[in-house]
Amino acid sequence: MARWRDGQGTLTVHRPGGEVRVPLELAVSYRARTRGLLGRDAVEGALLLSPAASVHTFGMRMAIDVAYLDRSLRVLAVRTMVPGRLGLPRLRSRHVLEAGAGVMAGWGLVAGVVVSVG
């Protein structure tokens, strides 16, 4: 797997019915991961935090969908979190994908689906 840098990219969801491409923001530096979605009212596409095994929504203004990914970018679990919550760390999780509440279901992002980052 290539080393990523903070910036923009594309998330490709490889689902049985075909691929879905989503605008992606990469947060791989400590500073970018710490900032995450704090202070935002919305997110265009998704945000990938790497490395990460858990997230929190303290100080957030919106509910979010959270997908926990393993080393091979396979989805381990997808959860919706409202502001002011602490997500428990997921065993085998190496990356966390965040998006607006409810959008991941529309992308077909469920446990077992593989994604790629470009």
Side-chain angles (χ1 to χ4, degrees), residues 78-89:
V78 178
R79 301 287 181 258
T80 300
M81 294 178 64
V82 296
R85 300 288 188 240
L86 177 63
L88 296 175

Side-chain angles (χ1 to χ4, degrees), residues 7-117:
Q8 304 297 318
T10 303
L11 175 75
T12 304
V13 180
H14 305 280
R15 61 185 189 169
E19 295 182 346
V20 175
R21 296 187 189 279
V22 179
L24 181 67
E25 183 178 339
L26 296 156
V28 296
S29 69
Y30 176 77
R31 185 175 188 167
R33 287 192 321 267
T34 303
R35 185 176 48 247
L37 295 176
L38 293 175
R40 299 188 196 184
D41 293 322
V43 58
E44 174 80 22
L47 172 70
L48 179 69
L49 305 169
S50 180
S54 67
V55 295
H56 69 83
T57 56
F58 298 116
M60 286 197 174
R61 300 177 183 168
M62 61 182 172
I64 60 171
D65 279 351
V66 177
Y68 298 90
L69 310 174
D70 67 9
R71 287 183 198 275
S72 61
L73 301 179
R74 182 176 305 278
V75 178
L76 300 172
V78 178
R79 301 287 181 258
T80 300
M81 294 178 64
V82 296
R85 300 288 188 240
L86 177 63
L88 296 175
R90 295 282 172 180
L91 189 62
R92 298 186 353 255
S93 178
R94 296 296 179 263
H95 317 281
V96 174
L97 191 63
E98 298 179 341
V103 301
M104 288 186 182
W107 300 338
L109 203 64
V110 295
V113 169
V114 175
V115 301
S116 60
V117 175

